[in-house]
Amino acid sequence: MRTGEYRTFAVRGVPVLEDDGSVREWVGTCTDVSEGKRAVEMLRERDEQLRLALTAGRAGTWRWELATKEAFWSDEYYTVFGLEPGSINATFESWFDAVHPDDREHVRASVAEAIEGKQDLALAYRMVLPDGSTRWVAGRAQLFVDDDGNPVRMIGITIDITDRKMVEDALAESEMRFRHMADSAPVLIWATDENIDCTFFNQNWLRFTGRTMEQELGDGWLDNVHP
């Protein structure tokens, strides 16, 4: 263009033939498709960004058609479960078979409750990967219904939360060790938060004051201080 801007055009043409079959001229149309092309490029760019985010976050998306029992998994979903994309059929059964045996009852009940209650799904559970290792995952899904209110599909995302669970378990174990040490110590021990509100008293403190943990928390311990 005269402004120096580049535009994209779609050109279609048909030949006009002479009696002897030679081409006399061409008649055609030229359509500016710049906006449509830009829209396609933007969608492609956003798709790549989504794939990058899913891969970095160890997450995958999925869809489950309740009537046909068909399932559709993104490539990233396969990767979360240690599988090559497309290596197995995407079905509810193939997913459920990989759920840790100890978590299957909870998972099945949660899915059934979401469908029957026509509500969204949120749960955490363990998966057994093909190499025998166990990973923690969190799944969230939205339930869709038809015009009559019947559940027809679920669309969701599954995220590998193994690292987070390991940190949570380590903190819980550390907390348990601290409480055991504190309760075994022959002294009175207390702890506060950043607002100087008391959050913990050991058993010796409670035995000494004759009060419960609930009574002492926050600034409740001041009740024992001489006026």
Side-chain angles (χ1 to χ4, degrees):
M1 298 179 66
R2 293 180 180 179
T3 61
E5 177 187 1
Y6 286 94
R7 307 287 292 183
T8 302
F9 291 85
V11 179
R12 294 177 180 274
V14 294
V16 178
L17 305 179
E18 297 286 5
D19 293 339
D20 61 2
S22 61
V23 178
R24 183 179 69 194
E25 60 183 353
W26 286 82
V27 177
T29 60
C30 188
T31 306
D32 187 341
V33 295
S34 302
E35 297 302 325
K37 188 172 186 295
R38 275 198 290 267
V40 171
E41 291 174 348
M42 289 178 61
L43 287 174
R44 184 181 296 112
E45 181 179 349
R46 290 176 181 175
D47 185 62
E48 289 302 319
Q49 292 173 345
L50 174 61
R51 288 182 178 275
L52 178 61
L54 290 173
T55 301
R58 291 191 56 79
T61 58
W62 52 272
R63 186 173 86 251
W64 180 30
E65 299 293 336
L66 303 181
T68 63
K69 305 299 183 183
E70 293 179 292
F72 302 89
W73 301 346
S74 69
D75 289 348
E76 295 79 13
Y77 187 88
Y78 280 93
T79 303
V80 168
F81 298 125
L83 298 168
E84 288 294 326
S87 58
I88 64 172
N89 291 330
T91 64
F92 177 87
E93 288 74 19
S94 57
W95 161 75
F96 190 74
D97 287 343
V99 175
H100 193 285
D102 293 343
D103 294 341
R104 288 178 182 171
E105 182 177 351
H106 164 65
V107 168
R108 187 184 290 278
S110 297
V111 173
E113 181 180 355
I115 295 174
E116 292 172 5
K118 300 177 183 179
Q119 59 193 19
D120 295 341
L121 175 69
L123 73 167
Y125 54 96
R126 289 166 292 178
M127 301 292 294
V128 181
L129 273 57
D131 62 5
S133 62
T134 300
R135 306 288 295 182
W136 274 96
V137 297
R140 299 188 67 88
Q142 183 175 358
L143 181 74
F144 293 84
V145 299
D146 60 20
D147 294 339
D148 296 325
N150 300 312
V152 292
R153 73 177 54 85
M154 275 188 173
I155 298 179
I157 184 171
T158 298
I159 306 172
D160 188 327
I161 60 170
T162 304
D163 293 342
R164 190 184 80 190
K165 285 290 295 182
M166 291 177 63
V167 171
E168 291 175 352
D169 291 345
L171 288 174
E173 183 177 354
S174 177
E175 174 73 9
M176 181 179 66
R177 288 199 300 267
F178 166 75
R179 288 180 177 274
H180 178 71
M181 178 200 69
D183 287 339
S184 302
V187 292
L188 309 185
I189 297 177
W190 49 269
T192 72
D193 60 17
E194 66 277 9
N195 297 318
I196 319 299
D197 289 327
C198 286
T199 59
F200 171 79
F201 296 90
N202 71 341
Q203 290 300 312
N204 273 335
W205 176 293
L206 300 180
R207 281 193 290 268
F208 179 78
T209 61
R211 289 161 58 88
T212 66
M213 182 74 75
E214 290 71 21
Q215 289 174 317
E216 298 292 84
L217 291 178
D219 58 4
W221 62 276
L222 287 172
D223 293 342
N224 287 331
V225 178
H226 193 284

